[in-house]
């Protein structure tokens, strides 16, 4: 019975991260559509990995040019991975990283300014 409860709990936590991933996808699509930046979202289902990143709107994708990320989030959606003893702690840490990224995306949209390479060069 305990294993079943733990599995259900892990599924519930994963569902929370999936909801946040959907929000990131929606906001990223809007940012890209508006031309504010190039926002990418990747989900690798077989390893339960979620990555989202944004590059300047004027990024040059020709070979030899290095892309500079404006912001990026990369999290595992797996709860039976390296730390099976404390899934709630893992969930809150991962959700916090995703929430920070959502907040940044919302800020980009609120400002409505096209993000260009020279403004964000390291």
């Amino acid at each position: 019975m305990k294993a079943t409860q733990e599995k259900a709990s892990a599924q519930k936590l994963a569902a929370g991260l999936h909801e946040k991933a959907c929000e990131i996808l929606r906001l990223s699509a809007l940012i890209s559509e508006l031309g504010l930046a190039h926002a990418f979202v990747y989900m690798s289902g077989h390893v339960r990995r979620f990555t989202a990143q944004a590059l300047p709107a004027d990024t040059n994708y020709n070979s030899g040019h290095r892309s500079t990320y404006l912001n990026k989030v990369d999290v595992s959606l797996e709860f039976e991975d390296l730390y099976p003893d404390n899934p709630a702690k893992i969930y809150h840490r991962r959700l916090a990283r995703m929430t920070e990224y959502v907040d940044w995306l919302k800020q980009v949209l609120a400002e409505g300014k096209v993000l260009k390479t020279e403004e964000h060069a390291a």
Side-chain angles (χ1 to χ4, degrees):
M1 181 69 170
K2 184 177 179 181
T4 302
Q5 288 174 332
E6 289 174 2
K7 184 73 171 172
S9 175
Q11 288 172 340
K12 184 177 178 181
L13 295 176
L17 293 183
H18 290 149
E19 284 182 35
K20 191 59 72 174
C22 288
E23 184 176 11
I24 289 171
L25 174 61
R26 182 181 55 79
L27 294 169
S28 295
L30 184 55
I31 285 171
S32 291
E33 185 174 329
L34 293 173
L36 303 177
H38 296 170
F40 299 89
V41 177
Y42 309 94
M43 184 167 164
S44 301
H46 68 295
V47 293
R48 297 181 186 168
R49 191 117 201 125
F50 178 83
T51 304
Q53 55 200 23
L55 284 79
D58 62 345
T59 297
N60 184 341
Y61 294 98
N62 292 329
S63 64
H65 288 87
R66 187 165 184 235
S67 300
T68 302
Y69 297 106
L70 300 170
N71 203 339
K72 180 177 181 176
V73 65
D74 183 30
V75 297
S76 172
L77 303 177
E78 173 68 69
F79 285 94
E80 298 165 357
D81 54 5
L82 301 176
Y83 310 101
D85 296 334
N86 197 345
K89 182 177 180 180
I90 296 165
Y91 167 78
H92 290 295
R93 192 173 338 144
R94 292 174 186 173
L95 184 63
R97 291 200 320 249
M98 293 174 85
T99 299
E100 285 175 19
Y101 192 75
V102 164
D103 291 344
W104 180 81
L105 293 171
K106 287 179 179 179
Q107 180 182 353
V108 169
L109 285 167
E111 291 175 4
K113 180 179 155 201
V114 176
L115 303 177
K116 296 189 177 183
T117 304
E118 66 273 2
E119 298 165 357
H120 300 281

